[in-house]
Amino acid sequence: MTASVDGNALAGALREIFAVDVTAAVVRCCGCGQAGAVAQLTVWAHAPGLVARCPGCSDVVLRVVRGPDRAWLDLRGTVALEVALPAE
Amino acid sequence: MAIVSPGFHGRRRADPDLPPGQYLTTDFPVLSAGPTPRVPADRWQFTVTTETGAATTWTWADLTAMPARDVTVDIHCVTKWSKLGTTWRGVPVSAFLEDVDTAADYAMAHSYGGYTTNLPLDDLLDDQAWVAYRYDGDDITPEHGGPVRLLVPHLYFWKSAKWLRGLTLMLEDSPGFWETAGYHDYGDPWREQRYQGD
């Protein structure tokens, strides 16, 4: 049986690409406009890549594919990622 | 005096049925990029749409009335498992294209649930690809793409779209779901075409 997991499953793959913990960022879905933490996305990990879907409308919000020496990040389902930073 | 190469006899011979980098599995792993669509057979439809927009649709009753083949094929997943000698029943894709007027060189397979994958049209012809509706003597379960999935065993199995609902014929190639996220456009397991540039 295939089951999804939450967005914390993205932490390792995204840490390789970003210098911040992206699972704490707020992501807004292109499909329905719902915003929430990346960690709250529904992630399908038993696949050729990580497929993260909106918990509201189930549209694909982001995808990460890890090759042996490269990674692909598809954000076409993401309106914006809001990343908290230290105050200047 | 005979020349003996001690390393030669000790080396395990690669399985000639396994493409490079693959390992053998006897179960049938389920890979899924989203929720499993549940499509009752009596509501299933399959539509071939040409580059001009002309569409032809078949129902489950149409499909199961067409001459079918029982095929035994090896399947190879890009995540490196291979399963040998799988048995399917399906209708050759070419049967759906016989009366279709097209100049297309490519096709995009569409699935219930939104999945897509692109293939050269030539790879869907001549007993290379089937619209499959039975696996191992039973209906195909939803987890494995039932009621109907595409079966293109000479390419990595992501090209064998589960929950098949249509083919769109295209004059120009266009990447599908995994092909837009780093996976190879063609996906020949014997040439280990896993990722773009392989």
Side-chain angles (χ1 to χ4, degrees), chain A residues 4-83:
Chain A
S4 59
V5 292
D6 71 29
N8 288 298
L10 297 166
L14 293 177
R15 190 178 297 123
E16 282 193 297
I17 302 171
F18 292 101
V20 297
D21 178 6
V22 177
T23 60
V26 174
V27 63
R28 186 177 295 280
C29 170
C30 282
C32 68
Q34 179 173 313
V38 169
Q40 293 175 320
L41 295 173
T42 305
V43 177
W44 298 82
H46 296 288
L50 295 166
V51 179
R53 293 177 178 269
C54 174
C57 71
S58 85
D59 275 8
V60 177
V61 173
L62 68 85
R63 298 182 295 167
V64 190
V65 167
R66 180 68 162 88
D69 56 0
R70 295 171 286 171
W72 289 264
L73 174 64
D74 181 311
L75 288 168
R76 85 181 67 186
T78 300
V79 175
L81 272 177
E82 177 186 335
V83 181

Side-chain angles (χ1 to χ4, degrees), chain B residues 50-52 54 97-103 169:
Chain B
T50 72
E51 67 274 20
T52 64
L97 302 174
E98 280 173 2
D99 298 323
V100 171
D101 184 20
T102 182
L169 308 183

